[in-house]
């Protein structure tokens, strides 16, 4: 059986491809449930927007639990990694496009 360490050795730059694949698959499967939950809270978030928000949510979750991954460290670095910062900001903007506040 394949171990997680073996799967995490395949990388895109310094980021593990396996981590990206699992994150996007999990959000893809959870998007209908998340959209229904947020609709009850008064926010209409289209299902495809969750895919754009995958990386920003992941980074926020890692910051909140105190696990500093390479992407989190690079995003918080004040003196570099500007392409990553631009990509994350663009993903947040794309993820929030189309979100509507629902009046009950």
């Amino acid at each position: 059986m394949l171990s997680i360490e073996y799967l995490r050795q395949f990388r895109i730059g310094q980021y593990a491809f396996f981590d990206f694949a699992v994150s996007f698959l999990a959000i893809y499967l959870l998007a209908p449930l998340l959209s229904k939950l947020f609709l009850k809270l008064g926010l209409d978030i289209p299902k495809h927007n969750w895919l754009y928000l995958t990386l920003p949510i992941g980074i926020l979750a890692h910051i909140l639990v105190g696990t500093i991954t390479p992407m989190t460290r690079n995003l918080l670095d004040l003196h570099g990694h500007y392409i990553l910062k631009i990509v994350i900001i663009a993903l947040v903007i794309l993820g929030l496009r189309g979100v509507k506040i629902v009046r009950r």
Side-chain angles (χ1 to χ4, degrees):
M1 180 166 211
L2 296 175
S3 72
I4 298 247
E5 292 305 317
Y6 174 74
L7 293 172
R8 293 189 81 226
Q9 79 179 358
F10 302 103
R11 300 191 170 270
I12 301 170
Q14 57 183 326
Y15 311 121
F17 178 76
F18 177 75
D19 294 343
F20 283 120
V22 169
S23 298
F24 282 104
L25 179 64
I27 288 291
Y28 177 77
L29 295 174
L30 290 174
L33 298 171
L34 290 170
S35 290
K36 286 180 186 177
L37 174 69
F38 276 84
L39 191 57
K40 290 181 181 182
L41 297 174
L43 286 175
D44 181 22
I45 303 175
K47 292 173 188 72
H48 66 275
N49 284 34
W50 289 108
L51 291 174
Y52 291 123
L53 294 172
T54 302
L55 292 180
I57 290 170
I59 291 171
L60 182 63
H62 282 104
I63 290 171
L64 290 176
V65 298
T67 305
I68 303 301
T69 63
M71 186 176 290
T72 306
R73 183 181 60 246
N74 292 342
L75 187 72
L76 296 176
D77 179 19
L78 297 176
H79 304 291
H81 306 285
Y82 298 113
I83 293 174
L84 174 65
K85 292 172 185 168
I86 291 168
V87 167
I88 296 300
I89 290 170
L91 287 172
V92 169
I93 291 169
L94 288 171
L96 295 178
R97 257 181 52 193
V99 174
K100 297 178 182 107
I101 297 174
V102 178
R103 304 261 188 247
R104 296 180 193 197

